[in-house]
């Protein structure tokens, strides 16, 4: 999504910025005609297996298999294809078979280094078709003057094209808010829009009951800056009280210049496009809908879309945090603040409950990649 946007430097979705959406990539093409409908199991080989993972026995293997078989076709690594075909041929409702499938088809690459797990969600917000004192923040479409400049020897840059054709770096959040450059699609509470920009997309309900999805359209090219740490440093919130709901409550209570000054610490600004709400979940960067609690945003420099990953993230320290997150997930998204080999942003679903949980995730993390064994006509 997203980032698609993840949460985040110091607090769930605010700390690192949710998975910021990018243009979805096409899923892996279907198997060639004539391929067998059931792939034979791979040969056994030495090395650690999923059974060696911490907490493996407590996993809901059947739920993990259902989730992975629905998204495994998005894998960029062709080595996953035989395992994906086999997953989709497993007997439904058989938990023992699901566990055996993972233990038979995969070995693991150990994850000794420690990183950080955060979480994100698809928010649902009230919106209005006209501005008011409460709904004063415009949801802006992608501006006509925004262009992405691609150079062969440098990362892409987001630029503003002037009427004379000259280009310059696109302005930061404060300047955009002072002079909105594009069409207004809807109006939101300022703190709600800020959170939706962190997440990268969201769902809107208007005063007449109409619903729409605000999909990521572009951003202004500025890096994401989390506001949790500076809020704690300024004494606006306690050090262990920078959860998503705490930050949102403070911004709402101080709506106006005081809250604007805090939000302006993050110069990144996201533009949107309105789409129908299909009642499902947003697409990740891998091009498939994100299964709640079974999808993560990762750094594509270290992981590949479609990678099957075991995460082990105990002992979160934010107030109200769950003690641990542990289980099989798939790499399906990315985000501007998700950087490094042991860094993941867990998608928890859409709506208030998912948002409440996501805002409390800042857990130490280890990650293992489940590597497919090569397919073989017979197991040894």
């Amino acid at each position: 999504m997203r980032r698609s946007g993840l949460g985040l430097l110091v607090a769930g979705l605010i700390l690192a910025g949710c998975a910021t959406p990018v243009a979805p990539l096409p899923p892996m093409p279907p198997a060639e005609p004539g391929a067998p409908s059931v792939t034979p199991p791979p040969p056994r080989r030495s090395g650690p297996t999923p059974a060696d993972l911490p907490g493996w026995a407590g996993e809901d293997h059947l739920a993990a298999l259902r989730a992975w078989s629905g998204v495994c076709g998005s894998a960029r690594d062709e080595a996953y294809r035989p395992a994906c075909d086999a997953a989709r041929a497993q007997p439904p409702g058989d938990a023992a078979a699901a566990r055996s499938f993972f233990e038979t088809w995969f070995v693991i690459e150990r994850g000794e280094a420690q990183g950080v797990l955060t979480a994100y969600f698809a928010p649902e917000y009230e919106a209005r078709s006209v501005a008011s004192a409460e709904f004063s923040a415009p949801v802006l479409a992608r501006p006509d003057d925004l262009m992405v400049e691609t150079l062969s020897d440098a990362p892409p840059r987001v630029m503003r094209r002037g009427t004379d054709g000259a280009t310059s770096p696109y302005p930061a959040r404060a300047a955009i808010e002072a002079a909105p450059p594009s069409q207004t699609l809807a109006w939101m509470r300022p703190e709600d829009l800020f959170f939706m920009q962190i997440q990268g997309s969201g769902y809107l309900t208007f005063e007449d009951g109409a619903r729409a999805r605000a999909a990521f359209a572009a951003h202004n090219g500025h890096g994401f800056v989390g506001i949790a740490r500076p809020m704690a440093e300024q004494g606006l919130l306690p050090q262990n009280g920078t959860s998503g709901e705490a930050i949102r409550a403070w911004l709402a209570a101080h709506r106006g210049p005081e809250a604007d000054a805090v939000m302006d610490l993050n110069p990144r600004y996201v533009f949107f496009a309105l789409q129908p709400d299909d009642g499902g979940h947003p697409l990740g960067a891998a091009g498939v809908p994100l299964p709640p609690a079974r999808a993560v945003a990762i750094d594509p420099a270290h992981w590949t879309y479609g990678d099957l990953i075991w995460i082990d993230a105990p002992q979160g320290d934010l107030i109200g945090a769950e003690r641990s997150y542990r289980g099989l997930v798939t790499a399906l998204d990315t985000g501007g603040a998700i950087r490094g080999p042991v860094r993941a942003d867990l998608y928890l679903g859409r709506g208030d409950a998912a948002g409440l949980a996501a805002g409390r995730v800042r857990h130490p993390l280890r990650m293992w990649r489940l590597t497919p064994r090569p397919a073989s006509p017979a197991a040894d």
Side-chain angles (χ1 to χ4, degrees), residues 160 169-179 181 220-223 263-271:
R160 167 177 276 178
Y170 215 84
R173 172 181 296 275
I176 292 173
E177 291 174 335
N220 64 343
H222 290 254
M263 291 187 288
D264 287 345
L265 294 174
N266 174 23
R268 171 163 290 200
Y269 194 93
V270 173
F271 302 97

Side-chain angles (χ1 to χ4, degrees), residues 1-4 21-28 70-76 88 120 213 278 281-291 295-296 304-306 330-334:
M1 139 175 354
R2 140 203 219 303
R3 51 171 40 72
S4 336
V22 298
L25 296 172
M28 189 168 66
V71 300
C72 58
S74 67
R76 301 299 181 265
R88 292 172 171 174
Y120 68 113
R213 178 172 180 256
D278 63 2
H281 293 276
L283 297 181
V288 295
L290 301 170
V296 289
T304 302
Y305 293 135
T330 306
L332 295 175
D333 209 355
T334 190

Side-chain angles (χ1 to χ4, degrees), residues 173-174 194 223-231 234 236 259-268:
R173 172 181 296 275
F194 183 77
F224 177 87
V225 175
I227 64 172
R229 180 168 296 160
M231 290 184 74
Q234 295 174 29
L236 304 178
D260 291 345
V262 172
M263 291 187 288
D264 287 345
L265 294 174
N266 174 23
R268 171 163 290 200

